[in-house]
Amino acid sequence: MAELCGTSRPAANGQPQHSRASLARRLRLHQLEVFDQVVEAGSILAASRELAMSQPAVSKSIHDLEQQLNGILFVRSKRGVLLTEFGALFRRHAKGLLGELRYMAEDLNAWQFGSTGHVIVGTLIAASATLLPEAITRLRTAVPDVTVTVRVGPNPTLFAALERGEVDVVVGVLPADSEARRASLLHVPLYEETLCVVVGAKNPLAHQRSLDLSALHPLEWVVPTRESAAYESVRTFFANDGLGMPRRLVESVSILTNLSLVSGGSMVALMPQSAAERFAEAGLLAILPLGGLSSFSEVGYTVRADRLASAATERFLAALRDTSLERRSIPRSYAFGPTGH
């Protein structure tokens, strides 16, 4: 592997060097796996450990790949190896090929065994507290040998990973802007998400039956961040009561952080209804009897529109739909404390 950046060398006759047939003859699938592991590990040594291969064997695999592609994939640094621009371009395609291999393995396993597989789920904040855990539990009850991996991130990152085949489904807030929706992706809404006002279960406000927003306004509030889908709903909530945003604010979309801030103190928070209900059921929070909050987004799942889901993923999608229907059919009331009294 070269010490310095290199560039592809053009063919002597000026014609393109690569075609589908030529790449199919030269490349070996195992090389892609080695290449991907070197990128993920950041060094030849670390990759060799993960792959249970010798360091010279990993180096040779990368060297052979560079020879076959006629381009430099990595340069050495003090901390390991870094992708060149050529390497980054190759990685985008390698990721897609590895993703398709995983899909092939899932389909073959599903055909032969019917109850095994691996589902990689990307998730967003609105789904992580209720919909997703319940769907995973439902799936594993039906098919306990299916492995589920959960990855957390923002919409753009997760949707790009979905297109590359690195995740199978993204669960959470669906993009509201039609321009943000990609033709390669299919968005399926399950329910509309609203915000509600919550306090800790031991907060004196938790048991009051009549509350006025103007009286709560001077308190310390936890609200969604300005770039979140819910922020405009928050502004409207206060504006409809003739109020501006509270002056004493913490902006956060971290459910665990918000729960910690509110459950043990005197802070008031605006939280997605589905998450608040789960914490109210657990006796950690109380949902206050304040109206005026409309839905701010649709929650659902996103899959690739250009390929059929694996059997394991289809089972997971069915679990999501069943969980959503079940939750919508159960009447819930936590207006005066975690137990409803």
Side-chain angles (χ1 to χ4, degrees), residues 180-258:
R181 300 191 176 216
R182 311 183 190 194
S184 60
L185 302 179
L186 175 64
H187 304 283
V188 180
L190 295 174
Y191 61 86
E192 291 189 336
E193 184 66 279
T194 60
L195 293 172
C196 61
V197 182
V198 299
V199 294
K202 296 181 181 179
N203 190 309
L205 295 171
H207 304 288
Q208 293 193 26
R209 293 178 175 271
S210 178
L211 290 167
D212 183 73
L213 181 58
S214 61
L216 302 180
H217 191 260
L219 300 177
E220 290 185 284
W221 284 77
V222 182
V223 302
T225 57
R226 296 169 191 265
E227 62 272 13
S228 71
Y231 190 75
E232 192 56 37
S233 179
V234 174
R235 288 172 55 88
T236 302
F237 173 60
F238 289 109
N240 287 344
D241 224 53
L243 303 168
M245 292 292 289
R247 296 184 63 182
R248 305 171 68 188
L249 275 182
V250 173
E251 294 183 1
S252 167
V253 291
S254 168
I255 288 291
L256 292 179
T257 298
N258 298 352

Side-chain angles (χ1 to χ4, degrees), residues 104-161:
M104 181 190 295
E106 296 291 343
D107 289 343
L108 293 174
N109 287 334
W111 178 268
Q112 293 173 330
F113 303 106
S115 60
T116 63
H118 185 192
V119 182
I120 303 178
V121 184
T123 188
L124 304 171
I125 196 71
S128 59
T130 51
L131 175 63
L132 184 55
E134 291 178 16
I136 291 174
T137 299
R138 186 184 294 267
L139 173 71
R140 293 193 57 75
T141 299
V143 280
D145 291 333
V146 170
T147 300
V148 179
T149 299
V150 178
R151 297 180 179 173
V152 178
N155 259 346
T157 300
L158 293 175
F159 289 160

